[in-house]
Amino acid sequence: MRRAVCPGSFDPVTNGHLDIIGRASRLFDEVIVGVLINNSKTGLFTVSERIDMLREATAKYGNVRVESFHGLLVDFCRTQDAAVVIKGLRAVSDFDYELQMAQMNIGLSGVETLFMPTNPLYSFLSSSLVKDVVKWGGDASPYVPDFVGERLVTRLQQT
């Protein structure tokens, strides 16, 4: 079985993330969306909330599952029996950082990284940018699933 991991913090999931996940789901038998647990950062949404949103957003794909992990990505890949990491690239600046990570990952464990260029519609999009737009009263509905946008508005009105 060809299995790949799409890792990230997904705080929150955007249409750019979903574009990469959906495209990966057509290339692999199974795609595992790995939600990183980073205790040194406080996210807007809890890990379990992010997992719930991702599960809802990816429900239409029969070969995508969502799991959380902490520690090294290559260790998570090993436990999931996944030999490939899929990373979306928005710009050349992403490539610089992601190339270093990919080289470290293959050196540590032999896990390959495949870079997938982001759809130009989402080349500027990031979770941080979406949160800022909503925080200041802007409309982020073109960039996130409707239910994510609603949760963003609710959460940011509470802060």
Side-chain angles (χ1 to χ4, degrees):
M1 175 177 280
R2 294 173 309 149
R3 188 175 287 139
V5 170
C6 285
S9 58
F10 305 102
D11 188 35
V13 61
T14 69
N15 290 340
H17 293 130
L18 294 173
D19 174 60
I20 297 297
I21 293 166
R23 289 163 54 202
S25 76
R26 293 190 301 268
L27 299 173
F28 291 89
D29 298 320
E30 184 177 34
V31 174
I32 302 135
V33 178
V35 180
L36 175 64
I37 300 170
N38 185 346
N39 293 328
S40 65
K41 283 187 175 181
T42 303
L44 181 62
F45 294 100
T46 67
V47 171
S48 61
E49 288 172 322
R50 288 182 247 164
I51 289 170
D52 289 343
M53 286 188 279
L54 277 158
R55 285 184 176 151
E56 186 172 343
T58 61
K60 64 184 175 185
Y61 305 113
N63 65 335
V64 172
R65 71 181 155 92
V66 182
E67 304 288 342
S68 64
F69 75 98
H70 66 277
L72 293 176
L73 174 59
V74 293
D75 291 338
F76 177 67
C77 289
R78 193 175 301 120
T79 65
Q80 300 300 313
D81 196 28
V84 177
V85 171
I86 302 289
K87 296 294 290 193
L89 295 178
R90 295 171 294 193
V92 173
S93 56
D94 287 347
F95 179 74
D96 246 7
Y97 173 75
E98 295 297 347
L99 178 62
Q100 292 174 21
M101 296 299 296
Q103 290 170 329
M104 180 62 77
N105 288 342
I106 198 155
L108 286 172
S109 69
V111 170
E112 294 285 356
T113 300
L114 296 182
F115 297 121
M116 190 174 284
T118 302
N119 182 320
L121 293 171
Y122 309 119
S123 63
F124 63 91
L125 191 55
S126 70
S127 294
S128 297
L129 187 56
V130 167
K131 287 185 280 194
D132 282 345
V133 166
V134 173
K135 176 181 176 182
W136 297 109
D139 178 17
S141 61
Y143 312 117
V144 295
D146 290 341
F147 68 91
V148 172
E150 292 165 9
R151 291 177 194 178
L152 267 169
V153 169
T154 300
R155 180 63 49 91
L156 288 169
Q157 287 175 348
Q158 295 172 353
T159 58

